Amino acid sequence: MSTRRKARRPQNRGGRPRLLSDEVEARLVNASRTGIAVELAAEMAGISRTSFLRWMALGRAEIEARESGEEPNEEAEEYAALYVKVRTARAHAAARAMANIRRVADGGIVTKTTTRQFRDSVTGEIVTETVEDRTAPDWRADAWYLERQHREHYGKDAIVAVEITGLGDIPSGADDQAVDMAALAERLNHSLFSVQYPPELEDGSVVDAEVLDE
C-alpha cells in the first residue's frame, strides 16, 4: 500500500493536457531567465498564468515529496523538471541583476571613449591617446540593496541606533526612534563628499606626494 501523501500533490484535474510541450517549457524557461514577472512569462509561452502556477505547484510538491523520502511519481516528472528549470533560471536572473547593482554601486562603468591622434612635439611621432569617461560610485545602489535584502536592519520602517561622529542629533540608547533612512543616506552623502582638497591637488599639478608625520 502506497504511503504517498496525496495532500502534498495537487492533482491535475481533468486529465493531463499536453499544454506543457517541449516548446512551451523552453519559452517559460527562457522568459524566466530574463527575470520578468510570472504573468508575462506565461503570456510569452502562450499559456495562462493559472496553468503556469499550477504546473509549478505540482513540480514543487513532487520535489518536496522526493526530498522527504517518497518514491518518485512518474506522472509529475515533467512538472518537477519544469519547476527546477524555472527556479534555476530565475536565480540566474537575480544574480545578474545583483551584479549590475554592484557595478553601479562600485562605479567605474565606461560611458564614453574618446580616441585622438596627435604629433609628439619632441619625437615627431604620431601618438594615439584614448580617454575613458567612467561613472562615479553611487551609494544609492547599496542603499537599495540593504533596504531589500536586510529589511529588518535597513528597511524604511527599521528602528536603528546610529553613532557616527558629526551626524548631529541622531538618537541612540534606550529611547531609540525610527530613523528616516532616505534622509540619513542623503546626509551621509553630503558628509562623505564634503572634503575639500588644496587647489594644487584638485588641478592635478601634484602627481606624487609623501605624507609626513608632524
Side-chain angles (χ1 to χ4, degrees), residues 129-205:
E129 179 183 69
T130 301
V131 178
E132 294 180 340
D133 293 341
R134 295 176 177 269
T135 59
D138 192 340
W139 61 268
R140 291 171 297 184
D142 279 329
W144 184 94
Y145 169 78
L146 291 173
E147 182 181 321
R148 286 159 178 77
Q149 294 299 316
H150 302 282
R151 189 178 301 274
E152 70 278 12
H153 298 301
Y154 301 101
K156 292 183 178 180
D157 298 328
I159 298 178
V160 297
V162 183
E163 295 182 2
I164 303 179
T165 303
L167 284 184
D169 56 354
I170 297 178
S172 61
D175 298 323
D176 290 344
Q177 300 177 8
V179 176
D180 186 335
M181 296 301 294
L184 174 58
E186 186 65 26
R187 294 171 68 181
L188 278 170
N189 183 47
H190 288 307
S191 299
L192 293 174
F193 291 96
S194 63
V195 179
Q196 300 294 321
Y197 297 96
E200 58 270 20
L201 292 181
E202 293 285 358
D203 61 18
S205 59

Side-chain angles (χ1 to χ4, degrees), residues 15-127:
R16 184 178 155 211
R18 276 308 297 171
L19 280 176
L20 183 51
S21 63
D22 291 342
E23 181 180 357
V24 169
E25 179 187 271
R27 289 180 179 180
L28 288 172
V29 173
N30 289 336
S32 299
R33 193 173 290 120
T34 68
I36 64 175
V38 169
E39 292 85 349
L40 297 178
E43 186 173 341
M44 289 182 65
I47 63 172
S48 69
R49 175 179 181 274
T50 301
S51 293
F52 187 18
L53 292 179
R54 180 165 56 86
W55 294 344
M56 291 294 287
L58 288 167
R60 178 177 180 177
E62 174 63 19
I63 294 297
E64 290 180 349
R66 292 179 183 182
E67 291 176 347
S68 67
E70 296 186 26
E71 292 295 324
N73 180 2
E74 293 183 1
E75 293 186 356
E77 177 60 36
E78 61 181 351
Y79 303 119
L82 174 67
Y83 176 78
V84 172
K85 291 177 182 178
V86 168
R87 291 275 297 180
T88 301
R90 293 185 67 83
H92 286 170
R96 184 174 61 253
M98 191 66 250
N100 288 333
I101 292 172
R102 290 271 15 112
R103 289 180 62 212
V104 172
D106 296 340
I109 301 174
V110 177
T111 58
K112 179 181 179 183
T113 301
T114 304
T115 302
R116 70 185 184 96
Q117 290 184 329
F118 59 93
R119 187 177 299 277
D120 189 288
S121 60
V122 177
T123 65
E125 297 179 350
I126 300 298
V127 179

